Every structure is written in structure tokens, then in C-alpha cells.
Amino acid sequence: MYQLAAPASAEIEVKKSRFIGMLFPVTSRAEAKQRLAELRAAHPGAVHHCWVLICDGDSGLDDDGEPSGTAARPMYNVLSHKSVANILAVVVRYWGGTKLGAGGLARAYGQAVTEAMKVAELVAFEPLAERRLSFGFADEAALRRLAEQRGAVVLAADYGDAVTMTVRLKAADADRFVAEASDLLRGALTVAAPD
């Protein structure tokens, strides 16, 4: 299984219609929705923004007004044959004035993703994990520094009687990170139950 190292894109033209295939590494549906909103704003003249999301436990696809099965399904087929995960594939279509028919649409959408995959850099897939850590206010800066040093992304910090910080990092590193955080905070750390 693989994932993208960085975004990638390619453009094809079929009977004067432009198909821009774009691939993005994502880790959640919320991140994918944000990326889609940005693309819709960046391409307001496009007639379709078809997409496929393959994400750990939260996948989906949308033909965005194209005839059912002519856009997202061919895009998904390309991605599944490449064994990729945590990826958002979007094909933005600008109408060229000529109808392509169901077969033509399916080929064009699939080809746009195939061309983007040709320029994409793939790396081995690494599952991610989230941890919720509670600790005193005075230790927040130290824990944020540790998270940055270890490649953990701080997703949220809630403030009540203590700070409850949610971090995301490689699953293989999660237990070691919690142990280091506990050592750093002299044991004044609680691992909270997930939501």
C-alpha cells in the first residue's frame, strides 16, 4: 500500500474539453472537503469537480453532475489498481462544447487521474494514530515542542481544569511519543480516552 508524498496534477484535452487531474494526500474527510472547497473557488468556471476519496475508514466518491458511473468510478478504478490510500483525487472539467458520451467520459476521467499518477511520488503507506493527552497549563509549550520534534500534528487543544491536546502521528511512533511526553512532564500526564 502506498500514499502520496506531495500533491500532483496533470491536464489532458479531449475534444476541446479540459480535464485537470489533481491528487492530494489527505488524512480525513474534513481535510478533503476543505481541499474541494478551495478547488471550487479556484476553478469557478469549471462545469464539474468530480472526486474520489480513499481514506482510512472514511472514503467516498462523487460524479458531480456527470452521468452516474462515468467519472468517479473510472477515477476510483485507477487509484485502486495503484494500491494508494489517504488520497483525494479530483478532476476538474472545463466544457469544450462537444458531448463525449458515457464511454468517452469514463476514458477521459480515468486518463486524467492516470496522467496525474504518472508524475506523483509515492511512498510506503504508514497508518496514523491519534492520542489525547491531558496535562497542566505550564507544560503546554514543552509538549508542543516535543510534538513538533517528533512529527506529531497538534489537531486541537482544549482548556478546562487542564489542557487536553489531541495529536496525530504515525501509529508506530504513538506509544513511544506518549512515553517521552510522560518523561518530559515528570509523569504529570494523563492519556485521555478517545472521543
Side-chain angles (χ1 to χ4, degrees):
M1 187 69 76
Y2 298 96
Q3 62 189 24
L4 289 174
S9 66
E11 183 175 330
I12 63 169
E13 186 174 311
V14 179
K15 295 185 179 179
K16 298 183 182 176
S17 280
R18 288 176 50 215
F19 294 84
I20 306 168
M22 295 172 272
L23 307 172
F24 302 97
V26 294
T27 57
S28 68
R29 181 176 285 267
E31 186 180 351
K33 284 182 144 184
Q34 176 62 37
R35 184 67 73 169
L36 277 167
E38 292 167 3
L39 290 174
R40 289 182 193 282
H43 297 275
V47 292
H48 301 287
H49 299 83
C50 303
W51 59 269
V52 173
L53 172 64
I54 300 176
C55 197
D56 191 25
D58 203 6
S59 299
L61 46 101
D62 184 9
D63 289 317
D64 193 39
E66 290 284 27
S68 181
T70 62
R73 177 57 62 186
M75 294 165 60
Y76 173 80
N77 289 341
V78 171
L79 298 177
S80 64
H81 284 96
K82 297 292 185 181
S83 296
V84 291
N86 288 350
I87 186 170
L88 172 66
V90 180
V91 176
V92 173
R93 180 183 181 195
Y94 285 90
W95 171 251
T98 303
K99 291 188 176 189
L100 303 180
L105 285 172
R107 283 188 295 277
Y109 280 100
Q111 184 184 357
V113 173
T114 297
E115 295 302 317
M117 285 297 295
K118 287 180 182 177
V119 299
E121 180 185 349
L122 298 178
V123 295
F125 172 73
E126 295 189 57
L128 300 176
E130 291 183 10
R131 295 292 184 268
R132 291 183 61 221
L133 311 171
S134 293
F135 49 88
F137 295 101
D139 295 319
E140 182 178 7
L143 196 59
R144 283 184 182 271
R145 277 192 301 279
L146 179 65
E148 185 177 329
Q149 292 167 355
R150 299 296 181 260
V153 177
V154 176
L155 299 175
D158 299 314
Y159 304 94
D161 294 337
V163 178
T164 301
M165 184 180 290
T166 305
V167 297
R168 179 184 297 140
L169 66 163
K170 294 176 186 173
D173 298 338
D175 291 339
R176 183 175 52 221
F177 176 79
V178 170
E180 284 186 64
S182 183
D183 288 347
L184 177 69
L185 304 183
R186 302 151 314 280
L189 175 77
T190 304
V191 179
D195 286 338

